[in-house]
PDB file of all heavy atoms in Angstrom:
ATOM      1  N   ALA A 794     163.848  55.714  35.222  1.00  0.00           N
ATOM      2  CA  ALA A 794     164.753  56.833  34.899  1.00  0.00           C
ATOM      3  C   ALA A 794     165.536  56.556  33.692  1.00  0.00           C
ATOM      4  O   ALA A 794     165.792  57.446  32.820  1.00  0.00           O
ATOM      5  CB  ALA A 794     165.685  57.088  36.123  1.00  0.00           C
ATOM      6  N   ARG A 795     166.004  55.332  33.545  1.00  0.00           N
ATOM      7  CA  ARG A 795     166.773  54.959  32.329  1.00  0.00           C
ATOM      8  C   ARG A 795     165.959  55.062  31.095  1.00  0.00           C
ATOM      9  O   ARG A 795     166.376  55.478  30.028  1.00  0.00           O
ATOM     10  CB  ARG A 795     167.394  53.597  32.523  1.00  0.00           C
ATOM     11  CG  ARG A 795     168.573  53.569  33.528  1.00  0.00           C
ATOM     12  CD  ARG A 795     169.306  52.233  33.581  1.00  0.00           C
ATOM     13  NE  ARG A 795     168.460  51.127  34.049  1.00  0.00           N
ATOM     14  CZ  ARG A 795     168.327  50.831  35.308  1.00  0.00           C
ATOM     15  NH1 ARG A 795     168.985  51.546  36.217  1.00  0.00           N
ATOM     16  NH2 ARG A 795     167.557  49.839  35.677  1.00  0.00           N
ATOM     17  N   ASP A 796     164.691  54.542  31.194  1.00  0.00           N
ATOM     18  CA  ASP A 796     163.742  54.657  30.038  1.00  0.00           C
ATOM     19  C   ASP A 796     163.524  56.054  29.658  1.00  0.00           C
ATOM     20  O   ASP A 796     163.444  56.487  28.495  1.00  0.00           O
ATOM     21  CB  ASP A 796     162.461  53.974  30.418  1.00  0.00           C
ATOM     22  CG  ASP A 796     162.480  52.498  30.409  1.00  0.00           C
ATOM     23  OD1 ASP A 796     163.520  51.919  29.998  1.00  0.00           O
ATOM     24  OD2 ASP A 796     161.550  51.808  30.942  1.00  0.00           O
ATOM     25  N   TRP A 797     163.341  56.929  30.746  1.00  0.00           N
ATOM     26  CA  TRP A 797     163.083  58.364  30.474  1.00  0.00           C
ATOM     27  C   TRP A 797     164.253  59.034  29.813  1.00  0.00           C
ATOM     28  O   TRP A 797     164.110  59.841  28.900  1.00  0.00           O
ATOM     29  CB  TRP A 797     162.745  59.033  31.761  1.00  0.00           C
ATOM     30  CG  TRP A 797     162.123  60.410  31.667  1.00  0.00           C
ATOM     31  CD1 TRP A 797     161.753  61.036  30.553  1.00  0.00           C
ATOM     32  CD2 TRP A 797     161.966  61.319  32.745  1.00  0.00           C
ATOM     33  NE1 TRP A 797     161.264  62.298  30.827  1.00  0.00           N
ATOM     34  CE2 TRP A 797     161.391  62.553  32.213  1.00  0.00           C
ATOM     35  CE3 TRP A 797     162.205  61.285  34.124  1.00  0.00           C
ATOM     36  CZ2 TRP A 797     161.086  63.636  32.991  1.00  0.00           C
ATOM     37  CZ3 TRP A 797     161.849  62.407  34.878  1.00  0.00           C
ATOM     38  CH2 TRP A 797     161.323  63.582  34.356  1.00  0.00           C
ATOM     39  N   LEU A 798     165.528  58.663  30.272  1.00  0.00           N
ATOM     40  CA  LEU A 798     166.689  59.240  29.665  1.00  0.00           C
ATOM     41  C   LEU A 798     166.815  58.919  28.196  1.00  0.00           C
ATOM     42  O   LEU A 798     167.067  59.781  27.373  1.00  0.00           O
ATOM     43  CB  LEU A 798     167.933  58.725  30.440  1.00  0.00           C
ATOM     44  CG  LEU A 798     169.273  59.155  29.914  1.00  0.00           C
ATOM     45  CD1 LEU A 798     169.409  60.725  29.958  1.00  0.00           C
ATOM     46  CD2 LEU A 798     170.433  58.508  30.715  1.00  0.00           C
ATOM     47  N   ARG A 799     166.603  57.627  27.898  1.00  0.00           N
ATOM     48  CA  ARG A 799     166.605  57.195  26.461  1.00  0.00           C
ATOM     49  C   ARG A 799     165.577  57.991  25.648  1.00  0.00           C
ATOM     50  O   ARG A 799     165.771  58.438  24.491  1.00  0.00           O
ATOM     51  CB  ARG A 799     166.399  55.716  26.303  1.00  0.00           C
ATOM     52  CG  ARG A 799     167.574  54.891  26.737  1.00  0.00           C
ATOM     53  CD  ARG A 799     167.410  53.437  26.350  1.00  0.00           C
ATOM     54  NE  ARG A 799     166.274  52.761  27.036  1.00  0.00           N
ATOM     55  CZ  ARG A 799     166.430  52.127  28.198  1.00  0.00           C
ATOM     56  NH1 ARG A 799     167.596  52.060  28.769  1.00  0.00           N
ATOM     57  NH2 ARG A 799     165.409  51.535  28.739  1.00  0.00           N
ATOM     58  N   GLN A 800     164.363  58.152  26.223  1.00  0.00           N
ATOM     59  CA  GLN A 800     163.325  58.915  25.554  1.00  0.00           C
ATOM     60  C   GLN A 800     163.686  60.266  25.316  1.00  0.00           C
ATOM     61  O   GLN A 800     163.499  60.919  24.223  1.00  0.00           O
ATOM     62  CB  GLN A 800     162.004  58.798  26.413  1.00  0.00           C
ATOM     63  CG  GLN A 800     160.751  59.426  25.737  1.00  0.00           C
ATOM     64  CD  GLN A 800     159.536  59.184  26.573  1.00  0.00           C
ATOM     65  OE1 GLN A 800     159.267  58.040  27.066  1.00  0.00           O
ATOM     66  NE2 GLN A 800     158.796  60.250  26.827  1.00  0.00           N
ATOM     67  N   LEU A 801     164.291  60.949  26.320  1.00  0.00           N
ATOM     68  CA  LEU A 801     164.779  62.332  26.151  1.00  0.00           C
ATOM     69  C   LEU A 801     165.857  62.465  25.138  1.00  0.00           C
ATOM     70  O   LEU A 801     165.946  63.380  24.343  1.00  0.00           O
ATOM     71  CB  LEU A 801     165.219  62.892  27.548  1.00  0.00           C
ATOM     72  CG  LEU A 801     164.087  63.098  28.540  1.00  0.00           C
ATOM     73  CD1 LEU A 801     164.710  63.410  29.917  1.00  0.00           C
ATOM     74  CD2 LEU A 801     163.193  64.268  28.145  1.00  0.00           C
ATOM     75  N   GLN A 802     166.773  61.488  25.171  1.00  0.00           N
ATOM     76  CA  GLN A 802     167.886  61.542  24.215  1.00  0.00           C
ATOM     77  C   GLN A 802     167.393  61.332  22.802  1.00  0.00           C
ATOM     78  O   GLN A 802     167.876  62.000  21.870  1.00  0.00           O
ATOM     79  CB  GLN A 802     168.925  60.421  24.541  1.00  0.00           C
ATOM     80  CG  GLN A 802     169.721  60.686  25.832  1.00  0.00           C
ATOM     81  CD  GLN A 802     170.565  59.508  26.218  1.00  0.00           C
ATOM     82  OE1 GLN A 802     170.264  58.373  25.926  1.00  0.00           O
ATOM     83  NE2 GLN A 802     171.662  59.743  27.016  1.00  0.00           N
ATOM     84  N   GLN A 803     166.441  60.416  22.632  1.00  0.00           N
ATOM     85  CA  GLN A 803     165.826  60.250  21.288  1.00  0.00           C
ATOM     86  C   GLN A 803     165.124  61.499  20.796  1.00  0.00           C
ATOM     87  O   GLN A 803     164.959  61.708  19.639  1.00  0.00           O
ATOM     88  CB  GLN A 803     164.882  59.062  21.323  1.00  0.00           C
ATOM     89  CG  GLN A 803     165.599  57.714  21.477  1.00  0.00           C
ATOM     90  CD  GLN A 803     164.656  56.545  21.705  1.00  0.00           C
ATOM     91  OE1 GLN A 803     163.393  56.811  21.800  1.00  0.00           O
ATOM     92  NE2 GLN A 803     165.206  55.398  21.910  1.00  0.00           N
ATOM     93  N   GLY A 804     164.682  62.317  21.774  1.00  0.00           N
ATOM     94  CA  GLY A 804     163.952  63.599  21.410  1.00  0.00           C
ATOM     95  C   GLY A 804     164.918  64.727  21.137  1.00  0.00           C
ATOM     96  O   GLY A 804     164.485  65.875  20.976  1.00  0.00           O
ATOM     97  N   GLY A 805     166.265  64.447  21.269  1.00  0.00           N
ATOM     98  CA  GLY A 805     167.239  65.484  20.939  1.00  0.00           C
ATOM     99  C   GLY A 805     167.835  66.162  22.193  1.00  0.00           C
ATOM    100  O   GLY A 805     168.663  67.019  22.033  1.00  0.00           O
ATOM    101  N   ALA A 806     167.466  65.776  23.418  1.00  0.00           N
ATOM    102  CA  ALA A 806     168.042  66.405  24.598  1.00  0.00           C
ATOM    103  C   ALA A 806     169.472  65.935  24.729  1.00  0.00           C
ATOM    104  O   ALA A 806     169.850  64.796  24.555  1.00  0.00           O
ATOM    105  CB  ALA A 806     167.234  65.985  25.827  1.00  0.00           C
ATOM    106  N   SER A 807     170.344  66.944  25.139  1.00  0.00           N
ATOM    107  CA  SER A 807     171.733  66.615  25.426  1.00  0.00           C
ATOM    108  C   SER A 807     171.940  66.189  26.863  1.00  0.00           C
ATOM    109  O   SER A 807     172.377  66.963  27.696  1.00  0.00           O
ATOM    110  CB  SER A 807     172.580  67.819  25.072  1.00  0.00           C
ATOM    111  OG  SER A 807     172.189  68.950  25.802  1.00  0.00           O
ATOM    112  N   MET A 808     171.564  64.970  27.168  1.00  0.00           N
ATOM    113  CA  MET A 808     171.668  64.437  28.488  1.00  0.00           C
ATOM    114  C   MET A 808     172.438  63.130  28.509  1.00  0.00           C
ATOM    115  O   MET A 808     172.448  62.420  27.447  1.00  0.00           O
ATOM    116  CB  MET A 808     170.299  64.223  29.122  1.00  0.00           C
ATOM    117  CG  MET A 808     169.400  65.461  29.086  1.00  0.00           C
ATOM    118  SD  MET A 808     167.757  65.200  29.771  1.00  0.00           S
ATOM    119  CE  MET A 808     168.129  65.004  31.516  1.00  0.00           C
ATOM    120  N   ASP A 809     173.075  62.772  29.632  1.00  0.00           N
ATOM    121  CA  ASP A 809     173.766  61.498  29.689  1.00  0.00           C
ATOM    122  C   ASP A 809     173.486  60.859  31.136  1.00  0.00           C
ATOM    123  O   ASP A 809     172.644  61.435  31.840  1.00  0.00           O
ATOM    124  CB  ASP A 809     175.214  61.681  29.477  1.00  0.00           C
ATOM    125  CG  ASP A 809     175.842  62.674  30.445  1.00  0.00           C
ATOM    126  OD1 ASP A 809     175.348  62.840  31.511  1.00  0.00           O
ATOM    127  OD2 ASP A 809     176.864  63.241  30.050  1.00  0.00           O
ATOM    128  N   GLU A 810     174.163  59.841  31.493  1.00  0.00           N
ATOM    129  CA  GLU A 810     173.889  59.099  32.753  1.00  0.00           C
ATOM    130  C   GLU A 810     174.155  59.998  33.951  1.00  0.00           C
ATOM    131  O   GLU A 810     173.643  59.684  35.069  1.00  0.00           O
ATOM    132  CB  GLU A 810     174.737  57.816  32.793  1.00  0.00           C
ATOM    133  CG  GLU A 810     174.238  56.809  31.798  1.00  0.00           C
ATOM    134  CD  GLU A 810     174.756  55.408  32.103  1.00  0.00           C
ATOM    135  OE1 GLU A 810     175.487  55.301  33.117  1.00  0.00           O
ATOM    136  OE2 GLU A 810     174.408  54.488  31.392  1.00  0.00           O
ATOM    137  N   SER A 811     174.921  61.038  33.814  1.00  0.00           N
ATOM    138  CA  SER A 811     175.144  61.873  34.992  1.00  0.00           C
ATOM    139  C   SER A 811     173.863  62.620  35.373  1.00  0.00           C
ATOM    140  O   SER A 811     173.767  63.131  36.544  1.00  0.00           O
ATOM    141  CB  SER A 811     176.259  62.921  34.680  1.00  0.00           C
ATOM    142  OG  SER A 811     175.806  63.808  33.679  1.00  0.00           O
ATOM    143  N   ASP A 812     172.866  62.658  34.533  1.00  0.00           N
ATOM    144  CA  ASP A 812     171.571  63.205  34.803  1.00  0.00           C
ATOM    145  C   ASP A 812     170.615  62.308  35.477  1.00  0.00           C
ATOM    146  O   ASP A 812     169.503  62.707  35.885  1.00  0.00           O
ATOM    147  CB  ASP A 812     170.959  63.800  33.478  1.00  0.00           C
ATOM    148  CG  ASP A 812     171.777  64.955  32.908  1.00  0.00           C
ATOM    149  OD1 ASP A 812     171.943  65.940  33.657  1.00  0.00           O
ATOM    150  OD2 ASP A 812     172.286  64.787  31.763  1.00  0.00           O
ATOM    151  N   LEU A 813     170.961  61.052  35.545  1.00  0.00           N
ATOM    152  CA  LEU A 813     170.032  60.065  36.146  1.00  0.00           C
ATOM    153  C   LEU A 813     169.598  60.383  37.601  1.00  0.00           C
ATOM    154  O   LEU A 813     168.391  60.249  37.929  1.00  0.00           O
ATOM    155  CB  LEU A 813     170.686  58.652  36.137  1.00  0.00           C
ATOM    156  CG  LEU A 813     170.620  57.976  34.774  1.00  0.00           C
ATOM    157  CD1 LEU A 813     171.417  56.662  34.762  1.00  0.00           C
ATOM    158  CD2 LEU A 813     169.150  57.710  34.349  1.00  0.00           C
ATOM    159  N   PRO A 814     170.492  60.841  38.472  1.00  0.00           N
ATOM    160  CA  PRO A 814     170.035  61.201  39.870  1.00  0.00           C
ATOM    161  C   PRO A 814     168.906  62.253  39.870  1.00  0.00           C
ATOM    162  O   PRO A 814     167.943  62.187  40.638  1.00  0.00           O
ATOM    163  CB  PRO A 814     171.326  61.718  40.522  1.00  0.00           C
ATOM    164  CG  PRO A 814     172.398  61.020  39.790  1.00  0.00           C
ATOM    165  CD  PRO A 814     171.959  60.950  38.383  1.00  0.00           C
ATOM    166  N   MET A 815     169.013  63.243  38.980  1.00  0.00           N
ATOM    167  CA  MET A 815     168.011  64.314  38.844  1.00  0.00           C
ATOM    168  C   MET A 815     166.667  63.683  38.422  1.00  0.00           C
ATOM    169  O   MET A 815     165.613  63.948  38.889  1.00  0.00           O
ATOM    170  CB  MET A 815     168.476  65.399  37.949  1.00  0.00           C
ATOM    171  CG  MET A 815     167.413  66.456  37.682  1.00  0.00           C
ATOM    172  SD  MET A 815     167.913  67.619  36.356  1.00  0.00           S
ATOM    173  CE  MET A 815     167.837  66.504  34.916  1.00  0.00           C
ATOM    174  N   LEU A 816     166.740  62.793  37.402  1.00  0.00           N
ATOM    175  CA  LEU A 816     165.547  62.211  36.848  1.00  0.00           C
ATOM    176  C   LEU A 816     164.907  61.315  37.915  1.00  0.00           C
ATOM    177  O   LEU A 816     163.680  61.252  38.010  1.00  0.00           O
ATOM    178  CB  LEU A 816     165.862  61.408  35.611  1.00  0.00           C
ATOM    179  CG  LEU A 816     166.445  62.126  34.423  1.00  0.00           C
ATOM    180  CD1 LEU A 816     166.768  61.215  33.218  1.00  0.00           C
ATOM    181  CD2 LEU A 816     165.463  63.213  33.960  1.00  0.00           C
ATOM    182  N   ARG A 817     165.748  60.534  38.663  1.00  0.00           N
ATOM    183  CA  ARG A 817     165.157  59.697  39.659  1.00  0.00           C
ATOM    184  C   ARG A 817     164.391  60.548  40.737  1.00  0.00           C
ATOM    185  O   ARG A 817     163.363  60.096  41.243  1.00  0.00           O
ATOM    186  CB  ARG A 817     166.243  58.880  40.325  1.00  0.00           C
ATOM    187  CG  ARG A 817     166.752  57.689  39.451  1.00  0.00           C
ATOM    188  CD  ARG A 817     167.524  56.661  40.296  1.00  0.00           C
ATOM    189  NE  ARG A 817     168.765  57.206  40.827  1.00  0.00           N
ATOM    190  CZ  ARG A 817     169.954  57.112  40.199  1.00  0.00           C
ATOM    191  NH1 ARG A 817     170.007  56.495  39.022  1.00  0.00           N
ATOM    192  NH2 ARG A 817     171.043  57.651  40.730  1.00  0.00           N
ATOM    193  N   GLU A 818     164.985  61.653  41.096  1.00  0.00           N
ATOM    194  CA  GLU A 818     164.336  62.514  42.158  1.00  0.00           C
ATOM    195  C   GLU A 818     162.990  63.072  41.577  1.00  0.00           C
ATOM    196  O   GLU A 818     162.013  63.090  42.290  1.00  0.00           O
ATOM    197  CB  GLU A 818     165.285  63.664  42.497  1.00  0.00           C
ATOM    198  CG  GLU A 818     164.729  64.562  43.635  1.00  0.00           C
ATOM    199  CD  GLU A 818     164.533  63.804  44.914  1.00  0.00           C
ATOM    200  OE1 GLU A 818     165.150  62.686  45.109  1.00  0.00           O
ATOM    201  OE2 GLU A 818     163.741  64.276  45.711  1.00  0.00           O
ATOM    202  N   ASP A 819     162.969  63.504  40.283  1.00  0.00           N
ATOM    203  CA  ASP A 819     161.713  63.925  39.726  1.00  0.00           C
ATOM    204  C   ASP A 819     160.657  62.895  39.667  1.00  0.00           C
ATOM    205  O   ASP A 819     159.485  63.100  39.943  1.00  0.00           O
ATOM    206  CB  ASP A 819     161.950  64.467  38.274  1.00  0.00           C
ATOM    207  CG  ASP A 819     162.724  65.769  38.289  1.00  0.00           C
ATOM    208  OD1 ASP A 819     162.775  66.413  39.312  1.00  0.00           O
ATOM    209  OD2 ASP A 819     163.189  66.173  37.172  1.00  0.00           O
ATOM    210  N   LEU A 820     161.102  61.618  39.379  1.00  0.00           N
ATOM    211  CA  LEU A 820     160.199  60.513  39.384  1.00  0.00           C
ATOM    212  C   LEU A 820     159.661  60.217  40.750  1.00  0.00           C
ATOM    213  O   LEU A 820     158.466  59.863  40.991  1.00  0.00           O
ATOM    214  CB  LEU A 820     160.886  59.250  38.811  1.00  0.00           C
ATOM    215  CG  LEU A 820     161.163  59.251  37.289  1.00  0.00           C
ATOM    216  CD1 LEU A 820     162.168  58.152  36.916  1.00  0.00           C
ATOM    217  CD2 LEU A 820     159.840  59.121  36.548  1.00  0.00           C
ATOM    218  N   ARG A 821     160.530  60.287  41.731  1.00  0.00           N
ATOM    219  CA  ARG A 821     160.154  59.983  43.147  1.00  0.00           C
ATOM    220  C   ARG A 821     159.070  60.928  43.634  1.00  0.00           C
ATOM    221  O   ARG A 821     158.200  60.585  44.420  1.00  0.00           O
ATOM    222  CB  ARG A 821     161.395  60.057  44.042  1.00  0.00           C
ATOM    223  CG  ARG A 821     161.158  59.602  45.443  1.00  0.00           C
ATOM    224  CD  ARG A 821     162.426  59.528  46.259  1.00  0.00           C
ATOM    225  NE  ARG A 821     163.210  58.335  45.921  1.00  0.00           N
ATOM    226  CZ  ARG A 821     164.341  58.388  45.150  1.00  0.00           C
ATOM    227  NH1 ARG A 821     164.784  59.558  44.768  1.00  0.00           N
ATOM    228  NH2 ARG A 821     164.971  57.307  44.851  1.00  0.00           N
ATOM    229  N   LEU A 822     159.136  62.163  43.120  1.00  0.00           N
ATOM    230  CA  LEU A 822     158.155  63.225  43.634  1.00  0.00           C
ATOM    231  C   LEU A 822     156.906  63.259  42.729  1.00  0.00           C
ATOM    232  O   LEU A 822     155.896  63.893  43.176  1.00  0.00           O
ATOM    233  CB  LEU A 822     158.806  64.616  43.574  1.00  0.00           C
ATOM    234  CG  LEU A 822     160.026  64.770  44.555  1.00  0.00           C
ATOM    235  CD1 LEU A 822     160.666  66.088  44.345  1.00  0.00           C
ATOM    236  CD2 LEU A 822     159.581  64.605  46.007  1.00  0.00           C
ATOM    237  N   ALA A 823     156.842  62.617  41.650  1.00  0.00           N
ATOM    238  CA  ALA A 823     155.780  62.725  40.724  1.00  0.00           C
ATOM    239  C   ALA A 823     154.541  61.909  41.233  1.00  0.00           C
ATOM    240  O   ALA A 823     154.676  60.761  41.652  1.00  0.00           O
ATOM    241  CB  ALA A 823     156.152  62.154  39.318  1.00  0.00           C
ATOM    242  N   GLN A 824     153.368  62.547  41.234  1.00  0.00           N
ATOM    243  CA  GLN A 824     152.126  61.945  41.734  1.00  0.00           C
ATOM    244  C   GLN A 824     151.793  60.678  40.967  1.00  0.00           C
ATOM    245  O   GLN A 824     151.463  59.653  41.588  1.00  0.00           O
ATOM    246  CB  GLN A 824     151.044  62.929  41.670  1.00  0.00           C
ATOM    247  CG  GLN A 824     149.647  62.367  42.119  1.00  0.00           C
ATOM    248  CD  GLN A 824     149.602  62.150  43.661  1.00  0.00           C
ATOM    249  OE1 GLN A 824     150.501  62.605  44.365  1.00  0.00           O
ATOM    250  NE2 GLN A 824     148.614  61.423  44.083  1.00  0.00           N
ATOM    251  N   ASP A 825     151.860  60.638  39.642  1.00  0.00           N
ATOM    252  CA  ASP A 825     151.469  59.455  38.886  1.00  0.00           C
ATOM    253  C   ASP A 825     152.361  58.319  39.258  1.00  0.00           C
ATOM    254  O   ASP A 825     151.897  57.130  39.370  1.00  0.00           O
ATOM    255  CB  ASP A 825     151.588  59.750  37.344  1.00  0.00           C
ATOM    256  CG  ASP A 825     150.413  60.405  36.841  1.00  0.00           C
ATOM    257  OD1 ASP A 825     149.458  60.787  37.655  1.00  0.00           O
ATOM    258  OD2 ASP A 825     150.241  60.532  35.592  1.00  0.00           O
ATOM    259  N   VAL A 826     153.659  58.532  39.457  1.00  0.00           N
ATOM    260  CA  VAL A 826     154.624  57.476  39.763  1.00  0.00           C
ATOM    261  C   VAL A 826     154.299  56.928  41.172  1.00  0.00           C
ATOM    262  O   VAL A 826     154.252  55.707  41.368  1.00  0.00           O
ATOM    263  CB  VAL A 826     156.071  57.969  39.649  1.00  0.00           C
ATOM    264  CG1 VAL A 826     157.053  56.896  40.146  1.00  0.00           C
ATOM    265  CG2 VAL A 826     156.388  58.375  38.246  1.00  0.00           C
ATOM    266  N   ARG A 827     154.086  57.768  42.078  1.00  0.00           N
ATOM    267  CA  ARG A 827     153.792  57.386  43.434  1.00  0.00           C
ATOM    268  C   ARG A 827     152.542  56.472  43.527  1.00  0.00           C
ATOM    269  O   ARG A 827     152.486  55.492  44.194  1.00  0.00           O
ATOM    270  CB  ARG A 827     153.664  58.555  44.414  1.00  0.00           C
ATOM    271  CG  ARG A 827     155.001  59.349  44.540  1.00  0.00           C
ATOM    272  CD  ARG A 827     154.833  60.690  45.241  1.00  0.00           C
ATOM    273  NE  ARG A 827     154.418  60.498  46.612  1.00  0.00           N
ATOM    274  CZ  ARG A 827     154.190  61.517  47.439  1.00  0.00           C
ATOM    275  NH1 ARG A 827     154.257  62.780  46.963  1.00  0.00           N
ATOM    276  NH2 ARG A 827     153.860  61.294  48.630  1.00  0.00           N
ATOM    277  N   VAL A 828     151.526  56.956  42.791  1.00  0.00           N
ATOM    278  CA  VAL A 828     150.277  56.162  42.805  1.00  0.00           C
ATOM    279  C   VAL A 828     150.493  54.808  42.184  1.00  0.00           C
ATOM    280  O   VAL A 828     150.009  53.765  42.708  1.00  0.00           O
ATOM    281  CB  VAL A 828     149.143  56.920  42.060  1.00  0.00           C
ATOM    282  CG1 VAL A 828     147.900  56.080  41.854  1.00  0.00           C
ATOM    283  CG2 VAL A 828     148.752  58.172  42.880  1.00  0.00           C
ATOM    284  N   ALA A 829     151.158  54.798  41.043  1.00  0.00           N
ATOM    285  CA  ALA A 829     151.417  53.486  40.293  1.00  0.00           C
ATOM    286  C   ALA A 829     152.269  52.520  41.188  1.00  0.00           C
ATOM    287  O   ALA A 829     151.946  51.353  41.235  1.00  0.00           O
ATOM    288  CB  ALA A 829     152.072  53.735  39.016  1.00  0.00           C
ATOM    289  N   LEU A 830     153.303  52.988  41.817  1.00  0.00           N
ATOM    290  CA  LEU A 830     154.102  52.159  42.634  1.00  0.00           C
ATOM    291  C   LEU A 830     153.445  51.645  43.886  1.00  0.00           C
ATOM    292  O   LEU A 830     153.637  50.519  44.335  1.00  0.00           O
ATOM    293  CB  LEU A 830     155.462  52.727  42.920  1.00  0.00           C
ATOM    294  CG  LEU A 830     156.360  53.127  41.709  1.00  0.00           C
ATOM    295  CD1 LEU A 830     157.694  53.668  42.180  1.00  0.00           C
ATOM    296  CD2 LEU A 830     156.541  51.874  40.755  1.00  0.00           C
ATOM    297  N   ASN A 831     152.665  52.548  44.458  1.00  0.00           N
ATOM    298  CA  ASN A 831     151.888  52.171  45.690  1.00  0.00           C
ATOM    299  C   ASN A 831     150.827  51.093  45.297  1.00  0.00           C
ATOM    300  O   ASN A 831     150.546  50.239  46.139  1.00  0.00           O
ATOM    301  CB  ASN A 831     151.176  53.360  46.336  1.00  0.00           C
ATOM    302  CG  ASN A 831     152.135  54.100  47.226  1.00  0.00           C
ATOM    303  OD1 ASN A 831     153.146  53.576  47.621  1.00  0.00           O
ATOM    304  ND2 ASN A 831     151.761  55.401  47.499  1.00  0.00           N
ATOM    305  N   THR A 832     150.235  51.250  44.150  1.00  0.00           N
ATOM    306  CA  THR A 832     149.281  50.217  43.691  1.00  0.00           C
ATOM    307  C   THR A 832     149.933  48.860  43.552  1.00  0.00           C
ATOM    308  O   THR A 832     149.346  47.868  43.865  1.00  0.00           O
ATOM    309  CB  THR A 832     148.651  50.631  42.347  1.00  0.00           C
ATOM    310  OG1 THR A 832     147.986  51.925  42.474  1.00  0.00           O
ATOM    311  CG2 THR A 832     147.599  49.598  41.835  1.00  0.00           C
ATOM    312  N   ALA A 833     151.210  48.842  43.117  1.00  0.00           N
ATOM    313  CA  ALA A 833     151.886  47.581  42.880  1.00  0.00           C
ATOM    314  C   ALA A 833     152.476  47.038  44.263  1.00  0.00           C
ATOM    315  O   ALA A 833     152.478  45.793  44.442  1.00  0.00           O
ATOM    316  CB  ALA A 833     153.054  47.771  41.905  1.00  0.00           C
TER     317      ALA A 833
END
């Protein structure tokens, strides 16, 4: 989530650490993330 926030900020998005809970929830539901973490 922190890596994604930095990436979004570098792309011009007006986001800060208060948006981290939302990003974490999106990551938790994402199929690619679930597959990758289950593999590990």
